[in-house]
Amino acid sequence: MSKATIEIREIQPKDNPQIEAVIREVFIEYDLPLVGTAYADAETPKMYEAYANKNEVYFVVVVNGVVEGGGGLKPLKGLEEEVFEIQKMYFSNRLRGKGFGKKLFEKCLEKGKALGFKRAYLETIPSLKEAIHIYETNGFKHLNGPIGDTGHFNCGIWMAKQL
């Protein structure tokens, strides 16, 4: 059996349908709320275009030419100069548990710091325990409520970290 070719790179236009499928698959698999989350975002079907502005980037994890996960960052609405949000970090069940979440998360933190942000922020859903563990392990602290304006009213967990 040959070894899988795995690459973490910036999203390309051709990746849109594959990363959209991964995101939607995770919501169905975990029986997560579809409204007020990334599932219903207008950005989800066009991730390349959604991360094309200054100080934004979306990375995908590609296994043997197939997008199996991704995650990105954007300036946080309302706090654009200081804070970036880690967004839409989802992995297919074929990729989970292999360390790619941690690698991609660290890549996003490094990129945010390189772009000059002072603080990282994220929101997630309480049932995504594996993701929350990665965030806590990387020094993120729980907040009592959301900051900025993400539009994701169904998340329930808010975390931040000084860089």
Side-chain angles (χ1 to χ4, degrees):
M1 180 173 239
S2 62
K3 192 168 169 20
T5 306
I6 301 169
E7 173 187 22
I8 298 176
R9 61 163 169 77
E10 288 191 27
I11 194 168
Q12 299 171 2
K14 68 178 182 177
D15 301 327
N16 279 350
Q18 291 180 63
I19 193 61
E20 177 187 9
V22 168
I23 292 169
R24 294 191 190 287
E25 177 183 289
V26 170
F27 275 82
I28 301 305
E29 179 185 348
Y30 280 84
D31 195 24
L32 301 174
L34 305 184
V35 178
T37 62
Y39 189 93
D41 273 2
E43 290 180 349
T44 300
K46 51 182 182 164
M47 296 292 283
Y48 173 80
E49 294 80 0
Y51 288 83
N53 294 318
K54 182 180 174 226
N55 291 344
E56 301 175 348
V57 64
Y58 194 84
F59 298 105
V60 290
V61 181
V62 184
V63 181
N64 294 332
V66 178
V67 174
E68 294 284 2
L73 61 103
K74 281 188 179 204
L76 183 60
K77 283 183 189 159
L79 300 164
E80 288 87 354
E81 298 302 312
E82 295 283 317
V83 183
F84 73 90
E85 181 186 13
I86 294 179
Q87 300 182 332
K88 294 185 179 69
M89 188 161 293
Y90 296 97
F91 300 94
S92 74
N93 57 16
R94 296 169 296 283
L95 197 64
R96 277 185 236 130
K98 297 182 174 146
F100 291 101
K102 186 176 189 305
K103 283 182 186 165
L104 187 56
F105 191 70
E106 289 168 355
K107 191 170 181 74
C108 287
L109 288 174
E110 288 166 15
K111 183 68 172 180
K113 197 169 186 173
L115 290 171
F117 290 104
K118 307 281 184 266
R119 193 171 179 205
Y121 173 74
L122 60 87
E123 298 178 342
T124 192
I125 295 170
S127 60
L128 297 177
K129 305 267 186 251
E130 301 96 332
I132 295 166
H133 177 71
I134 290 172
Y135 307 149
E136 290 170 342
T137 303
N138 276 277
F140 275 71
K141 304 290 182 219
H142 289 265
L143 304 174
N144 292 326
I147 61 172
D149 178 22
T150 66
H152 292 165
F153 56 83
N154 247 331
C155 282
I157 299 277
W158 311 278
M159 301 177 82
K161 175 185 177 167
Q162 292 298 125
L163 298 178

